[in-house]
Amino acid sequence: MQEEYFDTNYLEDDLEKIKELLQARKYTQLKELFAQTNEADVAAIFEELNEKELPLVFRLLGKEEAAEVFAFMEHDTQTTLVNSMTDKELEQILDDLFLDDTVDMIEEMPANVVARILRHTDPKTRKQINELLKYPKDSAGSMMTVEYVNIKKNMTVGEAITRIRKMASDSETVYTVYVTENRKLIGLVTVKDLLISQDEERIEDIMETNIITLSTSDDQEDVAKMFNKYGFLAFPVVDKEDRLVGIITVDDAMEVLQDENTEDITRMAAITSAEDTYFKTSIFKHAKNRIAWLLVLMLSSTLTGTILTSYEKAFAAVPLLVSFIPMLMDTGGNCGAQSSTLIIRGIALDEIVFKDIFKVIFKEFGVSILVGSILAVVNGIRIYIMYRSAQLAIVVACSLAMTVILAKFIGGVLPLTAKKMGLDPALMASPLITTVVDTCSILVYFKIATAFFNL
Amino acid sequence: MQEEYFDTNYLEDDLEKIKELLQARKYTQLKELFAQTNEADVAAIFEELNEKELPLVFRLLGKEEAAEVFAFMEHDTQTTLVNSMTDKELEQILDDLFLDDTVDMIEEMPANVVARILRHTDPKTRKQINELLKYPKDSAGSMMTVEYVNIKKNMTVGEAITRIRKMASDSETVYTVYVTENRKLIGLVTVKDLLISQDEERIEDIMETNIITLSTSDDQEDVAKMFNKYGFLAFPVVDKEDRLVGIITVDDAMEVLQDENTEDITRMAAITSAEDTYFKTSIFKHAKNRIAWLLVLMLSSTLTGTILTSYEKAFAAVPLLVSFIPMLMDTGGNCGAQSSTLIIRGIALDEIVFKDIFKVIFKEFGVSILVGSILAVVNGIRIYIMYRSAQLAIVVACSLAMTVILAKFIGGVLPLTAKKMGLDPALMASPLITTVVDTCSILVYFKIATAFFNL
């Protein structure tokens, strides 16, 4: 089954094999196995080893392979490894790591480990790391690397290729090279362009001068969107004076895209976003991430309860009224959640902005008329069949239709309003919408019921 | 404000300028403007033009620019354009489009337009298009392009570079080239590797032979995950006999990643996934996408109502009991939604698999003990203060704690069970969980209440 390839089964086979070889001290075979396995897979396998095995197998990796595997590892495994390394080993790894990976790692490590790392990098690199660490954690500045290839506009294509060949091994990407003048970015050339051109042509004649740049302060989410929109392999990052300060490559953007989606999805379920995977987050941390919103929502929903108490006489007279409360609350909640989810996603993908609010209201109103009618009719018929009371059927059907209209209105408007107020629209997802819609629907229901039954 | 850059404001300025220039028939200035603007942006602007303006401005684009802009457009805009093109213009565009973009477009267009497109492609391309169209819509086969560079193992680095230079303009990516023998994929080389090597070296000595390949039948979601995991710029796609049939590039994977996330998010809100953006989907289509689940959930939640009816006497005796129903239902729903969302996301990211089910149950149980106690205590105190009834406070607090434990158990287990049964775990998100949890929580509540109050 293809499926298995994508989950952990094939990984476990490798893991068992490695543990066996390790126990039998067959280091040569282990080395061969690692050499044949992609670095991302080696890193995934290493995650499963214990603290004793890990440094042992890590030392079996080739010099450059070691740095690549290291970059793919989770931050806590990296910390374990760094603690087990000699100073010389640490220097070696740091030398081979790309700067953006080093910075990523440093941002997540305990202070004493960071101090040791900084002590063992050469002064030039240390300066660069410190520069990168100054940028806010979710900014383009902290995502970028300074290891790019820059060329001059008066070079020929041939000279540029020679320079790329020289710098290739130390650069994260060589496929886009940047033309600078007094540190300012004035153009860019892709290797594809260079290959299509003749050796004698001048860079300034073939370079692209309409450059789309990112700024160091751009939010990482917007950075990811830019990659998605333009389909580039890398973006140059410039400072306020338009000087080229680094580049961001597509692999980092893809990771951010996935993280941001996870953040949105969990936030929409009223969870404070977690940094770690589900299993790596402790029970205590899980509880902490979930309790705040639960408390807020629980206390808000007591408002609905209070409204109910004021209609005590109504349901004392017609007790059957109570039995429709769950159906009304659930349907209202679901309708609101559908609308708010679509709007929140639309905002995240830049398809919906605040000034579209009336278009949204119009659309949601149309949808709620259609959906509300169908639900009301189906439910009305069911009630009439079950209880033979046309009055009851009409009251519930009307309340339901009103609830749907209200829910879709609130679900459409709240996320846009939140965005306008500078809040994350994802906070306006189902849980909050449900609580708001509940109160409204119960009010509508009992207003209609008391009027109809003369209670 | 940087924010503006990412929404539609800057686009609107351009749009106005273009409309002005168009009215004044200043075509030379328009041409210049387009030449200075990135193709993705030109496409975004063109989306906003009407059916008369669109063909007019499109003809102002340079030959290659036109194909690139065309590839960035929405499918219905593409259809409009194709309908306005002469046969010669159509042939030109098709000639410059990459095959995967052509196939993407064909998959979404009306049959008569597709027929016209196929009539105007050369026989060789038509054959390739028909081959690609045979693959299921969401498979690696339908994502891939056949325009890659292949080389032979006995070539030298210099010869390989010469071949790349010759094929560069017709290939979607040149940065990874594939070594084939009797059409079988036997190795790959990146341009970076070529640049680092000497001209005389043989390809077979420098090529990577441990290749991670995709199969034509792989699901696009898994394809996107592979890019995310390995950070590659392209993957080779092979058929069942290991023959190289195409490649998939990272830009296409990124698009899929975003689409799949949207699909998950909307499905989690009980919406049948839409292909189009919010505004491009008609009111009728919106209603259709939402009504099915609403009906199912509405009818299921009447079960909770029926349970309520059987406790009519209980809330006739203690009417206050009714007022805690919304709070219990909402909190249960929210707790369940939190758990199911985390599990669904974990499954989507391959972090959680079915055999982790006991680990999940254990973790969720721990969390629900912590969260449930806090919520129960807070609520118990509130009720005691408001109503001075220790009995009532205890009944509601116990019911709440039980509801939280139940909700987190159901929320944790249902998505994993769904996955095991071959269903999409996203279907087990908040709406369904809420309905299930509601029934349980109301049952628990009235069981406890009737026992405590001797009703």
Side-chain angles (χ1 to χ4, degrees), chain A residues 2-3 6 10 12 35-36 38 40-41 72 164-165 168 171 175 190-192 194-197 199 210 212 218 222 226-230 232-233 250 254 257-258 261-262 265-266 269-271 277-279 281 283 286-287 290 294-295 297-298 301-302 305 308-309 312 315 319-320 322-323 326-327 329-331 334-335 338-339 341-343 345 349-352 355-356 359-360 363-364 366-367 370-371 375 382 400 408 419 431 438, chain B residues 2-3 6 10 12 35-36 38 40-41 72 164-165 168 171 175 190-192 194-197 199 210 212 218 222 226-230 232-233 254 257-258 261-262 265-266 269-271 277-279 281 283 286-287 290 294-295 297-298 301-302 305 308-309 312 315 319-320 322-323 326-327 329-331 334-335 338-339 341-343 345 349-352 355-356 359-360 363-364 366-367 370-371 375 382 400 408 419 431 438:
Chain A
Q2 182 61 32
E3 176 69 7
F6 293 104
Y10 83 107
E12 264 175 28
Q36 280 163 26
N38 180 278
D41 290 322
F72 273 115
I164 293 174
R165 293 184 98 146
S171 301
Y175 301 136
T190 66
V191 166
K192 192 170 170 176
L194 291 176
L195 289 177
I196 293 173
S197 311
D199 272 350
N210 295 307
I212 296 164
D218 284 349
D222 294 325
M226 295 288 278
F227 276 94
N228 216 2
K229 179 172 175 193
Y230 293 101
F232 293 163
L233 299 181
V250 64
M254 216 159 168
L257 198 68
Q258 202 65 307
N261 277 316
T262 303
I265 290 174
T266 49
I271 306 167
T277 62
Y278 177 79
F279 287 122
T281 309
I283 288 180
H286 267 300
R290 305 188 200 176
L294 287 180
L295 271 173
L297 294 168
M298 180 181 80
S301 66
T302 57
L308 271 181
T309 346
E312 232 172 65
F315 57 77
L320 208 50
V322 174
S323 76
M327 188 273 297
M329 280 177 57
D330 280 346
T331 308
N334 291 336
C335 284
Q338 287 183 332
S339 306
T341 301
L342 286 174
I343 304 302
R345 190 62 184 164
L349 298 177
D350 287 337
E351 290 166 3
I352 304 175
K355 70 174 167 44
D356 295 326
K359 273 163 80 186
V360 168
K363 198 134 212 168
E364 288 305 309
V367 176
L370 279 176
V371 169
L375 293 177
R382 176 188 77 90
L400 188 58
K408 296 229 167 271
K419 174 78 181 173
D438 279 354
Chain B
Q2 182 60 31
E3 176 69 7
F6 292 103
Y10 83 107
E12 265 174 29
Q36 280 162 26
N38 180 279
D41 290 322
F72 273 116
I164 293 174
R165 293 184 97 145
S171 302
Y175 300 135
T190 66
V191 166
K192 191 169 170 178
L194 291 176
L195 290 177
I196 294 174
S197 310
D199 272 350
N210 295 307
I212 296 164
D218 284 349
D222 294 325
M226 295 288 279
F227 276 93
N228 215 1
K229 179 173 175 191
Y230 293 101
F232 292 163
L233 299 182
M254 216 157 168
L257 199 68
Q258 202 64 309
N261 278 317
T262 303
I265 291 173
T266 49
I271 306 167
T277 62
Y278 177 80
F279 286 122
T281 308
I283 287 180
H286 267 300
R290 305 188 200 177
L294 287 179
L295 271 172
L297 295 168
M298 181 181 80
S301 66
T302 58
L308 273 180
T309 343
E312 232 173 67
F315 58 77
L320 208 49
V322 174
S323 76
M327 187 273 297
M329 281 176 58
D330 280 347
T331 307
N334 292 336
C335 283
Q338 286 182 333
S339 305
T341 300
L342 287 174
I343 304 302
R345 189 63 183 163
L349 298 177
D350 286 337
E351 290 166 5
I352 304 176
K355 70 173 169 41
D356 295 326
K359 272 165 79 186
V360 167
K363 198 134 212 169
E364 287 304 310
V367 176
L370 279 176
V371 169
L375 293 178
R382 175 188 76 89
L400 187 59
K408 297 232 168 267
K419 174 79 183 174
D438 279 355

Side-chain angles (χ1 to χ4, degrees), chain A residues 153-311:
Chain A
K153 66 174 181 184
N154 51 4
M155 283 183 175
T156 62
V157 167
E159 286 166 350
I161 291 180
T162 311
R163 182 167 165 82
I164 293 174
R165 293 184 98 146
K166 216 171 66 193
M167 294 184 71
S169 56
D170 287 330
S171 301
E172 185 153 359
T173 178
V174 299
Y175 301 136
T176 313
V177 294
Y178 301 91
V179 189
T180 53
E181 194 170 61
N182 299 325
R183 295 183 56 202
K184 280 207 166 61
L185 179 66
I186 57 167
L188 59 81
V189 183
T190 66
V191 166
K192 192 170 170 176
D193 296 334
L194 291 176
L195 289 177
I196 293 173
S197 311
Q198 301 300 315
D199 272 350
E200 320 72 64
E201 281 182 78
R202 297 237 153 245
I203 293 299
E204 62 183 321
D205 297 329
I206 65 161
M207 72 186 187
E208 171 69 65
T209 51
N210 295 307
I211 316 164
I212 296 164
T213 57
L214 298 173
S215 132
T216 49
S217 58
D218 284 349
D219 185 82
Q220 61 173 0
E221 190 170 359
D222 294 325
V223 171
K225 279 184 200 163
M226 295 288 278
F227 276 94
N228 216 2
K229 179 172 175 193
Y230 293 101
F232 293 163
L233 299 181
F235 272 100
V237 185
V238 297
D239 65 9
K240 281 182 189 124
E241 281 82 39
D242 267 336
R243 286 180 302 218
L244 180 62
V245 288
I247 60 164
I248 298 179
T249 50
V250 64
D251 51 322
D252 297 322
M254 216 159 168
E255 218 169 282
V256 166
L257 198 68
Q258 202 65 307
D259 288 349
E260 291 285 340
N261 277 316
T262 303
E263 197 182 299
D264 270 7
I265 290 174
T266 49
R267 196 168 287 171
M268 284 169 77
I271 306 167
T272 312
S273 54
E275 300 259 305
D276 269 321
T277 62
Y278 177 79
F279 287 122
K280 291 223 171 181
T281 309
S282 70
I283 288 180
F284 182 76
K285 191 83 204 288
H286 267 300
K288 202 177 143 229
N289 288 340
R290 305 188 200 176
I291 190 72
W293 270 108
L294 287 180
L295 271 173
V296 171
L297 294 168
M298 180 181 80
L299 294 177
S300 335
S301 66
T302 57
L303 179 62
T304 319
T306 318
I307 293 171
L308 271 181
T309 346
S310 64
Y311 288 102

